[in-house]
Amino acid sequence: MSALLPVGACSSATADLPADLAAAKSDQPFSLFLGEELGQIDYAQLKVRNKCLAKAGYPQNLNTMLEQPRNPFRHLLITARSFGPTSAEEAKRVGFGRDSLSAPPSVISFDPSYDKAYDRCTDIAWKELSDDAKKVYYGYFDLGNNLSQPLSPTVNERMGDTAWRKLLSCLGDKGHRPQNEQEFLQNPNPGFFGVPVGVDANEGRDRWKPKQVPGTIEVGPAVPAAPYHAGPAESALALAWFECRRATGIDKKQLETAVQVQRELVAKYESSFIELNPQVTRLAKQAAQLIGAP
């Protein structure tokens, strides 16, 4: 198992990063990723597109869009909560799930004329931002995916069998045993304990289905924010999970490991950060000016 550096240390992988990437040496290396700015760019593009659609006689998207931008990579803000409940109370209520954010109504088209207007207005919106806005946006979105996808698997692997066996032993003492120990050791996930584990508060709810009438545009209901409440079995497992992670020291070790892996990923994609961060900052300012945002 690889040696771990203390949270405040600077690894050789980030020691030579440029000054504007100095955050890679902090305990929040992924703070280098400009998720809020990316959300601002996306929101401006959507608003310009939707205004264009409204002028073409299709106000549905403009009438139903969110009132403010959202960071599409909120999960890159890595904290102790990223790895499970951080208190007994949280474990009992939320388990391994999460509260859900509100979502705007779905706009579904069965109208070819709308579809053509949609494509035309999308192109217009990107070009109003700048000639390179679409390329920069999707390039940065790819960077976000490249950072997020390997993080958890790499952290779990770095922790090693010894740590996860300690967790299993502690959980077993509390009456919780996985259905397949080897599968758990390869992928330490609470879903292997035969307990229904929630992901999102809206998971499993009945979804709106459009009537699919040709020549129409259908607007579904808005999805309100909803708190997640774990069932008794999930609450019990989550509480044991929280207590065992703390008792074995896995909670601190996992977070320290995550910081190190983040630093390595930032170093791996250093050239992308250097190239794209200034462009994303520029586009976010242009986006705010375009729609009159503060």
Side-chain angles (χ1 to χ4, degrees):
M1 183 174 65
S2 300
L4 301 177
L5 294 176
V7 173
C10 170
S11 73
S12 59
T14 60
D16 299 324
L17 289 179
D20 57 351
L21 299 187
K25 302 174 185 178
S26 73
D27 61 356
Q28 286 288 340
F30 279 0
S31 63
L32 287 170
F33 187 82
L34 306 177
E36 297 294 336
E37 287 83 348
L38 192 67
Q40 180 67 60
I41 295 167
D42 181 53
Y43 187 79
Q45 184 269 332
L46 292 176
K47 194 161 189 177
V48 174
R49 183 202 70 189
N50 293 344
K51 285 184 175 180
C52 174
L53 280 169
K55 288 181 180 179
Y58 303 105
Q60 294 89 345
N61 295 77
L62 185 61
N63 291 340
T64 59
M65 71 180 295
L66 293 172
E67 295 182 356
Q68 58 187 9
R70 278 184 182 168
N71 178 354
F73 285 93
R74 292 182 299 278
H75 57 281
L76 287 185
L77 302 174
I78 308 300
T79 66
R81 182 64 182 88
S82 302
F83 301 100
T86 57
S87 71
E89 293 73 18
E90 186 179 46
K92 291 175 184 177
R93 182 183 78 80
V94 182
F96 300 100
R98 60 172 178 257
D99 298 338
S100 69
L101 298 174
S102 61
S106 298
V107 178
I108 308 295
S109 167
F110 301 95
D111 181 352
S113 297
Y114 168 92
D115 297 340
K116 291 179 181 179
Y118 184 97
D119 291 340
R120 178 177 61 83
C121 288
T122 298
D123 290 339
I124 289 173
W126 281 119
K127 290 177 182 176
E128 282 204 34
L129 274 170
S130 78
D131 289 338
D132 65 344
K134 185 175 182 180
K135 179 181 178 182
V136 171
Y137 175 84
Y138 283 106
Y140 209 66
F141 212 96
D142 286 343
L143 174 60
N145 287 331
N146 288 336
L147 296 174
S148 59
Q149 289 171 357
L151 180 64
S152 289
T154 305
V155 170
N156 289 340
E157 182 181 353
R158 293 277 179 89
M159 294 292 290
D161 276 7
T162 301
W164 300 125
R165 288 186 186 280
K166 287 181 180 179
L167 181 65
L168 280 181
S169 177
C170 179
L171 289 171
D173 290 342
K174 295 178 181 291
H176 301 281
R177 294 175 177 80
Q179 295 171 316
N180 187 308
E181 183 174 307
Q182 287 305 312
E183 285 186 352
F184 177 84
L185 292 173
Q186 293 174 4
N187 178 20
N189 188 304
F192 287 116
F193 284 78
V195 172
V197 175
V199 174
D200 189 283
N202 284 319
E203 188 80 11
R205 288 189 176 186
D206 290 336
R207 300 295 185 182
W208 167 73
K209 294 181 180 180
K211 297 177 182 178
Q212 304 185 29
V213 178
T216 66
I217 301 163
E218 298 188 48
V219 179
V223 179
Y228 180 83
H229 294 283
E234 182 180 358
S235 290
L237 176 61
L239 179 59
W241 189 278
F242 161 72
E243 292 173 342
C244 286
R245 288 182 72 246
R246 185 173 57 176
T248 58
I250 285 175
D251 55 346
K252 294 180 180 179
K253 186 176 180 181
Q254 201 169 23
L255 193 56
E256 290 174 356
T257 305
V259 172
Q260 182 63 21
V261 173
Q262 287 177 75
R263 289 179 182 147
E264 293 170 7
L265 288 167
V266 167
K268 179 177 180 179
Y269 294 102
E270 174 186 348
S271 60
S272 295
F273 277 108
I274 292 173
E275 175 189 359
L276 293 174
N277 270 28
Q279 297 182 57
V280 170
T281 299
R282 167 180 57 84
L283 284 175
K285 291 179 180 178
Q286 292 175 205
Q289 293 172 354
L290 183 62
I291 62 174

